[in-house]
mmCIF file of all heavy atoms in Angstrom:
data_model
loop_
_atom_site.group_PDB
_atom_site.id
_atom_site.type_symbol
_atom_site.label_atom_id
_atom_site.label_comp_id
_atom_site.label_asym_id
_atom_site.label_seq_id
_atom_site.Cartn_x
_atom_site.Cartn_y
_atom_site.Cartn_z
ATOM 1 N N ILE D 1 0.881 -1.115 -0.016
ATOM 2 C CA ILE D 1 -0.009 -0.003 -0.047
ATOM 3 C C ILE D 1 0.925 1.175 0.005
ATOM 4 O O ILE D 1 1.715 1.419 0.959
ATOM 5 C CB ILE D 1 -0.902 0.034 1.223
ATOM 6 C CG1 ILE D 1 -1.759 -1.259 1.275
ATOM 7 C CG2 ILE D 1 -1.761 1.265 1.221
ATOM 8 C CD1 ILE D 1 -2.596 -1.443 2.528
ATOM 9 N N SER D 2 0.751 2.037 -0.987
ATOM 10 C CA SER D 2 1.612 3.203 -1.154
ATOM 11 C C SER D 2 1.303 4.257 -0.159
ATOM 12 O O SER D 2 0.213 4.216 0.593
ATOM 13 C CB SER D 2 1.515 3.754 -2.593
ATOM 14 O OG SER D 2 0.268 4.455 -2.694
ATOM 15 N N ASP D 3 2.302 5.156 0.099
ATOM 16 C CA ASP D 3 2.088 6.190 1.118
ATOM 17 C C ASP D 3 1.483 7.543 0.406
ATOM 18 O O ASP D 3 1.750 8.593 0.923
ATOM 19 C CB ASP D 3 3.370 6.496 1.803
ATOM 20 C CG ASP D 3 4.471 6.851 0.950
ATOM 21 O OD1 ASP D 3 4.370 6.913 -0.241
ATOM 22 O OD2 ASP D 3 5.624 7.047 1.493
ATOM 23 N N ASP D 4 0.861 7.399 -0.726
ATOM 24 C CA ASP D 4 0.383 8.549 -1.421
ATOM 25 C C ASP D 4 -0.785 9.114 -0.639
ATOM 26 O O ASP D 4 -1.457 8.377 0.271
ATOM 27 C CB ASP D 4 -0.032 8.207 -2.881
ATOM 28 C CG ASP D 4 1.053 7.735 -3.645
ATOM 29 O OD1 ASP D 4 2.181 8.248 -3.471
ATOM 30 O OD2 ASP D 4 0.814 6.912 -4.626
ATOM 31 N N THR D 5 -1.271 10.314 -0.958
ATOM 32 C CA THR D 5 -2.407 10.936 -0.264
ATOM 33 C C THR D 5 -3.671 9.991 -0.426
ATOM 34 O O THR D 5 -4.377 9.720 0.438
ATOM 35 C CB THR D 5 -2.823 12.251 -0.878
ATOM 36 O OG1 THR D 5 -1.668 13.129 -0.731
ATOM 37 C CG2 THR D 5 -3.955 12.904 -0.172
ATOM 38 N N THR D 6 -3.779 9.457 -1.612
ATOM 39 C CA THR D 6 -4.749 8.403 -1.895
ATOM 40 C C THR D 6 -3.982 7.106 -2.235
ATOM 41 O O THR D 6 -3.496 6.890 -3.268
ATOM 42 C CB THR D 6 -5.673 8.716 -3.188
ATOM 43 O OG1 THR D 6 -6.314 9.988 -2.910
ATOM 44 C CG2 THR D 6 -6.697 7.653 -3.339
ATOM 45 N N PRO D 7 -3.914 6.261 -1.221
ATOM 46 C CA PRO D 7 -3.087 5.093 -1.310
ATOM 47 C C PRO D 7 -3.351 4.175 -2.424
ATOM 48 O O PRO D 7 -4.553 3.904 -2.674
ATOM 49 C CB PRO D 7 -3.214 4.421 0.075
ATOM 50 C CG PRO D 7 -3.709 5.378 1.006
ATOM 51 C CD PRO D 7 -4.479 6.349 0.067
ATOM 52 N N ASN D 8 -2.409 3.735 -3.169
ATOM 53 C CA ASN D 8 -2.620 2.713 -4.244
ATOM 54 C C ASN D 8 -2.254 1.367 -3.688
ATOM 55 O O ASN D 8 -1.249 1.170 -2.984
ATOM 56 C CB ASN D 8 -1.584 2.953 -5.485
ATOM 57 C CG ASN D 8 -2.016 4.218 -6.136
ATOM 58 O OD1 ASN D 8 -3.142 4.504 -6.448
ATOM 59 N ND2 ASN D 8 -1.018 5.093 -6.473
ATOM 60 N N VAL D 9 -3.126 0.400 -3.956
ATOM 61 C CA VAL D 9 -2.986 -0.924 -3.400
ATOM 62 C C VAL D 9 -2.606 -1.928 -4.613
ATOM 63 O O VAL D 9 -3.387 -2.050 -5.475
ATOM 64 C CB VAL D 9 -4.281 -1.428 -2.701
ATOM 65 C CG1 VAL D 9 -4.092 -2.775 -2.130
ATOM 66 C CG2 VAL D 9 -4.681 -0.437 -1.606
ATOM 67 N N THR D 10 -1.412 -2.451 -4.501
ATOM 68 C CA THR D 10 -0.991 -3.244 -5.574
ATOM 69 C C THR D 10 -0.402 -4.588 -5.116
ATOM 70 O O THR D 10 -0.058 -4.748 -3.987
ATOM 71 C CB THR D 10 0.113 -2.558 -6.429
ATOM 72 O OG1 THR D 10 1.164 -2.157 -5.561
ATOM 73 C CG2 THR D 10 -0.363 -1.306 -7.122
ATOM 74 N N VAL D 11 -0.284 -5.506 -6.069
ATOM 75 C CA VAL D 11 0.257 -6.795 -5.702
ATOM 76 C C VAL D 11 1.778 -6.780 -5.781
ATOM 77 O O VAL D 11 2.380 -6.403 -6.815
ATOM 78 C CB VAL D 11 -0.307 -7.913 -6.784
ATOM 79 C CG1 VAL D 11 0.352 -9.193 -6.553
ATOM 80 C CG2 VAL D 11 -1.724 -7.993 -6.711
ATOM 81 N N ALA D 12 2.457 -7.168 -4.653
ATOM 82 C CA ALA D 12 3.802 -7.145 -4.615
ATOM 83 C C ALA D 12 4.412 -8.452 -5.134
ATOM 84 O O ALA D 12 5.414 -8.550 -5.834
ATOM 85 C CB ALA D 12 4.399 -6.940 -3.210
ATOM 86 N N TRP D 13 3.729 -9.570 -4.813
ATOM 87 C CA TRP D 13 4.044 -10.929 -5.166
ATOM 88 C C TRP D 13 2.865 -11.790 -4.909
ATOM 89 O O TRP D 13 1.968 -11.555 -4.064
ATOM 90 C CB TRP D 13 5.353 -11.463 -4.602
ATOM 91 C CG TRP D 13 5.473 -11.270 -3.111
ATOM 92 C CD1 TRP D 13 6.082 -10.348 -2.432
ATOM 93 C CD2 TRP D 13 4.840 -12.168 -2.069
ATOM 94 N NE1 TRP D 13 5.979 -10.481 -1.055
ATOM 95 C CE2 TRP D 13 5.210 -11.582 -0.771
ATOM 96 C CE3 TRP D 13 4.080 -13.251 -2.022
ATOM 97 C CZ2 TRP D 13 4.765 -12.030 0.433
ATOM 98 C CZ3 TRP D 13 3.666 -13.821 -0.845
ATOM 99 C CH2 TRP D 13 3.978 -13.216 0.344
ATOM 100 N N SER D 14 2.828 -12.894 -5.484
ATOM 101 C CA SER D 14 1.742 -13.954 -5.163
ATOM 102 C C SER D 14 2.133 -15.427 -5.402
ATOM 103 O O SER D 14 3.190 -15.620 -6.108
ATOM 104 C CB SER D 14 0.544 -13.632 -6.073
ATOM 105 O OG SER D 14 0.862 -13.939 -7.454
ATOM 106 N N ARG D 15 1.580 -16.230 -4.853
ATOM 107 C CA ARG D 15 1.770 -17.718 -4.999
ATOM 108 C C ARG D 15 0.534 -18.480 -4.664
ATOM 109 O O ARG D 15 -0.295 -18.021 -3.840
ATOM 110 C CB ARG D 15 2.914 -18.080 -3.986
ATOM 111 C CG ARG D 15 3.392 -19.550 -4.255
ATOM 112 C CD ARG D 15 4.360 -19.565 -5.379
ATOM 113 N NE ARG D 15 4.989 -20.811 -5.671
ATOM 114 C CZ ARG D 15 5.712 -21.147 -6.640
ATOM 115 N NH1 ARG D 15 5.943 -20.260 -7.671
ATOM 116 N NH2 ARG D 15 6.216 -22.398 -6.816
ATOM 117 N N MET D 16 0.263 -19.541 -5.391
ATOM 118 C CA MET D 16 -0.914 -20.348 -5.223
ATOM 119 C C MET D 16 -0.669 -21.863 -5.187
ATOM 120 O O MET D 16 0.345 -22.249 -5.837
ATOM 121 C CB MET D 16 -2.003 -20.079 -6.333
ATOM 122 C CG MET D 16 -1.548 -20.371 -7.638
ATOM 123 S SD MET D 16 -2.949 -20.320 -8.859
ATOM 124 C CE MET D 16 -3.881 -21.775 -8.359
ATOM 125 N N MET D 17 -1.459 -22.523 -4.485
ATOM 126 C CA MET D 17 -1.447 -24.053 -4.630
ATOM 127 C C MET D 17 -2.846 -24.418 -5.067
ATOM 128 O O MET D 17 -3.805 -24.182 -4.296
ATOM 129 C CB MET D 17 -1.075 -24.558 -3.255
ATOM 130 C CG MET D 17 -1.087 -26.195 -3.255
ATOM 131 S SD MET D 17 -0.738 -26.889 -1.621
ATOM 132 C CE MET D 17 1.028 -26.592 -1.648
ATOM 133 N N ALA D 18 -2.905 -25.029 -6.185
ATOM 134 C CA ALA D 18 -4.203 -25.425 -6.687
ATOM 135 C C ALA D 18 -4.723 -26.701 -5.913
ATOM 136 O O ALA D 18 -3.929 -27.314 -5.218
ATOM 137 C CB ALA D 18 -4.096 -25.736 -8.170
ATOM 138 N N ASP D 19 -6.045 -27.037 -6.118
ATOM 139 C CA ASP D 19 -6.577 -28.184 -5.427
ATOM 140 C C ASP D 19 -5.837 -29.503 -5.943
ATOM 141 O O ASP D 19 -5.980 -30.543 -5.382
ATOM 142 C CB ASP D 19 -8.058 -28.287 -5.503
ATOM 143 C CG ASP D 19 -8.517 -28.253 -6.987
ATOM 144 O OD1 ASP D 19 -7.603 -28.279 -7.880
ATOM 145 O OD2 ASP D 19 -9.791 -28.074 -7.133
ATOM 146 N N THR D 20 -5.174 -29.380 -7.081
ATOM 147 C CA THR D 20 -4.496 -30.597 -7.548
ATOM 148 C C THR D 20 -3.114 -30.733 -6.864
ATOM 149 O O THR D 20 -2.403 -31.761 -7.057
ATOM 150 C CB THR D 20 -4.146 -30.412 -9.027
ATOM 151 O OG1 THR D 20 -3.431 -29.220 -9.278
ATOM 152 C CG2 THR D 20 -5.485 -30.346 -9.843
ATOM 153 N N GLY D 21 -2.692 -29.796 -6.113
ATOM 154 C CA GLY D 21 -1.369 -29.768 -5.448
ATOM 155 C C GLY D 21 -0.324 -28.962 -6.167
ATOM 156 O O GLY D 21 0.808 -28.763 -5.636
ATOM 157 N N ALA D 22 -0.566 -28.540 -7.455
ATOM 158 C CA ALA D 22 0.448 -27.808 -8.212
ATOM 159 C C ALA D 22 0.555 -26.365 -7.676
ATOM 160 O O ALA D 22 -0.408 -25.726 -7.279
ATOM 161 C CB ALA D 22 -0.022 -27.779 -9.635
ATOM 162 N N THR D 23 1.757 -25.891 -7.618
ATOM 163 C CA THR D 23 2.101 -24.548 -7.137
ATOM 164 C C THR D 23 2.639 -23.692 -8.251
ATOM 165 O O THR D 23 3.382 -24.203 -9.120
ATOM 166 C CB THR D 23 3.028 -24.629 -5.909
ATOM 167 O OG1 THR D 23 4.304 -25.231 -6.387
ATOM 168 C CG2 THR D 23 2.461 -25.334 -4.775
ATOM 169 N N ALA D 24 2.316 -22.388 -8.227
ATOM 170 C CA ALA D 24 2.801 -21.466 -9.214
ATOM 171 C C ALA D 24 2.494 -20.062 -8.841
ATOM 172 O O ALA D 24 1.607 -19.903 -7.878
ATOM 173 C CB ALA D 24 2.147 -21.774 -10.572
ATOM 174 N N PRO D 25 3.008 -19.056 -9.422
ATOM 175 C CA PRO D 25 2.437 -17.691 -9.154
ATOM 176 C C PRO D 25 1.069 -17.596 -9.551
ATOM 177 O O PRO D 25 0.509 -18.213 -10.445
ATOM 178 C CB PRO D 25 3.391 -16.893 -10.180
ATOM 179 C CG PRO D 25 4.572 -17.565 -10.308
ATOM 180 C CD PRO D 25 4.217 -19.043 -10.268
ATOM 181 N N ASP D 26 0.232 -16.826 -8.749
ATOM 182 C CA ASP D 26 -1.173 -16.766 -8.969
ATOM 183 C C ASP D 26 -1.447 -15.972 -10.282
ATOM 184 O O ASP D 26 -1.207 -14.722 -10.327
ATOM 185 C CB ASP D 26 -1.827 -16.135 -7.788
ATOM 186 C CG ASP D 26 -3.310 -16.255 -7.757
ATOM 187 O OD1 ASP D 26 -3.944 -16.436 -8.877
ATOM 188 O OD2 ASP D 26 -3.971 -16.015 -6.741
ATOM 189 N N PRO D 27 -2.059 -16.570 -11.283
ATOM 190 C CA PRO D 27 -2.325 -15.792 -12.528
ATOM 191 C C PRO D 27 -3.375 -14.730 -12.362
ATOM 192 O O PRO D 27 -3.441 -13.779 -13.133
ATOM 193 C CB PRO D 27 -2.770 -16.874 -13.525
ATOM 194 C CG PRO D 27 -3.334 -17.940 -12.579
ATOM 195 C CD PRO D 27 -2.485 -17.951 -11.444
ATOM 196 N N GLY D 28 -4.128 -14.850 -11.309
ATOM 197 C CA GLY D 28 -5.156 -13.727 -10.995
ATOM 198 C C GLY D 28 -4.653 -12.634 -10.227
ATOM 199 O O GLY D 28 -5.344 -11.649 -9.945
ATOM 200 N N GLU D 29 -3.376 -12.684 -9.795
ATOM 201 C CA GLU D 29 -2.811 -11.658 -8.908
ATOM 202 C C GLU D 29 -1.330 -11.461 -9.424
ATOM 203 O O GLU D 29 -0.391 -11.813 -8.818
ATOM 204 C CB GLU D 29 -2.741 -12.040 -7.523
ATOM 205 C CG GLU D 29 -4.154 -12.322 -6.852
ATOM 206 C CD GLU D 29 -4.905 -11.027 -6.524
ATOM 207 O OE1 GLU D 29 -4.252 -9.867 -6.683
ATOM 208 O OE2 GLU D 29 -6.057 -11.045 -6.088
ATOM 209 N N LYS D 30 -1.189 -10.715 -10.569
ATOM 210 C CA LYS D 30 0.087 -10.536 -11.160
ATOM 211 C C LYS D 30 0.779 -9.384 -10.502
ATOM 212 O O LYS D 30 0.115 -8.399 -9.981
ATOM 213 C CB LYS D 30 -0.035 -10.233 -12.629
ATOM 214 C CG LYS D 30 -0.606 -11.525 -13.436
ATOM 215 C CD LYS D 30 -0.646 -11.227 -14.933
ATOM 216 C CE LYS D 30 -1.256 -12.399 -15.629
ATOM 217 N NZ LYS D 30 -1.397 -12.145 -17.075
ATOM 218 N N VAL D 31 2.113 -9.388 -10.401
ATOM 219 C CA VAL D 31 2.834 -8.324 -9.833
ATOM 220 C C VAL D 31 2.588 -6.989 -10.420
ATOM 221 O O VAL D 31 2.605 -6.873 -11.628
ATOM 222 C CB VAL D 31 4.415 -8.613 -9.850
ATOM 223 C CG1 VAL D 31 5.135 -7.495 -9.251
ATOM 224 C CG2 VAL D 31 4.766 -9.907 -9.213
ATOM 225 N N GLY D 32 2.352 -5.987 -9.641
ATOM 226 C CA GLY D 32 2.004 -4.593 -10.120
ATOM 227 C C GLY D 32 0.494 -4.435 -10.387
ATOM 228 O O GLY D 32 0.098 -3.276 -10.506
ATOM 229 N N ASP D 33 -0.231 -5.462 -10.439
ATOM 230 C CA ASP D 33 -1.739 -5.271 -10.647
ATOM 231 C C ASP D 33 -2.415 -4.659 -9.417
ATOM 232 O O ASP D 33 -1.966 -4.967 -8.267
ATOM 233 C CB ASP D 33 -2.441 -6.599 -10.956
ATOM 234 C CG ASP D 33 -2.182 -7.148 -12.405
ATOM 235 O OD1 ASP D 33 -1.530 -6.398 -13.116
ATOM 236 O OD2 ASP D 33 -2.478 -8.197 -12.647
ATOM 237 N N PRO D 34 -3.421 -3.764 -9.645
ATOM 238 C CA PRO D 34 -4.193 -3.309 -8.503
ATOM 239 C C PRO D 34 -5.036 -4.363 -7.896
ATOM 240 O O PRO D 34 -5.468 -5.289 -8.494
ATOM 241 C CB PRO D 34 -5.001 -2.183 -9.112
ATOM 242 C CG PRO D 34 -5.194 -2.625 -10.543
ATOM 243 C CD PRO D 34 -3.920 -3.270 -10.959
ATOM 244 N N THR D 35 -5.201 -4.215 -6.546
ATOM 245 C CA THR D 35 -6.029 -5.248 -5.833
ATOM 246 C C THR D 35 -6.862 -4.463 -4.769
ATOM 247 O O THR D 35 -6.715 -3.222 -4.649
ATOM 248 C CB THR D 35 -5.240 -6.393 -5.250
ATOM 249 O OG1 THR D 35 -6.025 -7.354 -4.694
ATOM 250 C CG2 THR D 35 -4.304 -5.823 -4.173
ATOM 251 N N THR D 36 -7.559 -5.113 -3.995
ATOM 252 C CA THR D 36 -8.390 -4.476 -3.044
ATOM 253 C C THR D 36 -8.176 -5.021 -1.647
ATOM 254 O O THR D 36 -7.763 -6.179 -1.471
ATOM 255 C CB THR D 36 -9.849 -4.632 -3.345
ATOM 256 O OG1 THR D 36 -10.239 -6.081 -3.417
ATOM 257 C CG2 THR D 36 -10.218 -3.967 -4.717
ATOM 258 N N VAL D 37 -8.379 -4.193 -0.639
ATOM 259 C CA VAL D 37 -8.265 -4.651 0.739
ATOM 260 C C VAL D 37 -9.425 -3.913 1.475
ATOM 261 O O VAL D 37 -9.948 -2.870 1.059
ATOM 262 C CB VAL D 37 -6.940 -4.334 1.388
ATOM 263 C CG1 VAL D 37 -5.776 -4.985 0.677
ATOM 264 C CG2 VAL D 37 -6.668 -2.754 1.373
ATOM 265 N N PRO D 38 -9.827 -4.415 2.636
ATOM 266 C CA PRO D 38 -10.787 -3.638 3.356
ATOM 267 C C PRO D 38 -10.365 -2.251 3.733
ATOM 268 O O PRO D 38 -9.133 -2.008 3.895
ATOM 269 C CB PRO D 38 -11.040 -4.539 4.661
ATOM 270 C CG PRO D 38 -10.556 -5.879 4.320
ATOM 271 C CD PRO D 38 -9.455 -5.699 3.179
ATOM 272 N N ASP D 39 -11.317 -1.295 3.691
ATOM 273 C CA ASP D 39 -11.008 0.134 3.922
ATOM 274 C C ASP D 39 -10.243 0.445 5.208
ATOM 275 O O ASP D 39 -9.271 1.209 5.237
ATOM 276 C CB ASP D 39 -12.235 0.978 3.957
ATOM 277 C CG ASP D 39 -12.890 1.038 2.547
ATOM 278 O OD1 ASP D 39 -12.209 0.855 1.466
ATOM 279 O OD2 ASP D 39 -14.067 1.381 2.385
ATOM 280 N N GLU D 40 -10.590 -0.388 6.257
ATOM 281 C CA GLU D 40 -9.974 -0.117 7.572
ATOM 282 C C GLU D 40 -8.440 -0.620 7.552
ATOM 283 O O GLU D 40 -7.666 -0.223 8.439
ATOM 284 C CB GLU D 40 -10.674 -0.886 8.691
ATOM 285 C CG GLU D 40 -10.814 -2.452 8.515
ATOM 286 C CD GLU D 40 -12.034 -2.813 7.770
ATOM 287 O OE1 GLU D 40 -12.607 -1.962 7.003
ATOM 288 O OE2 GLU D 40 -12.432 -4.025 7.955
#
């Protein structure tokens, strides 16, 4: 979360384990992509 006046929320890194047991970077959370967090 950036320290801008209006903070930007971005993905720094990601990793996932599928239900098959395979692991890889999460394709739905790519580095630099905006994401969301609760306002608080």
Side-chain angles (χ1 to χ4, degrees):
I1 303 174
S2 71
D3 56 2
D4 299 331
T5 304
T6 302
N8 294 315
V9 183
T10 56
V11 176
W13 48 262
S14 68
R15 192 74 177 170
M16 64 170 286
M17 176 180 287
D19 54 8
T20 59
T23 57
D26 191 341
E29 298 284 355
K30 296 180 180 179
V31 176
D33 282 356
T35 188
T36 58
V37 298
D39 290 339
E40 59 270 21

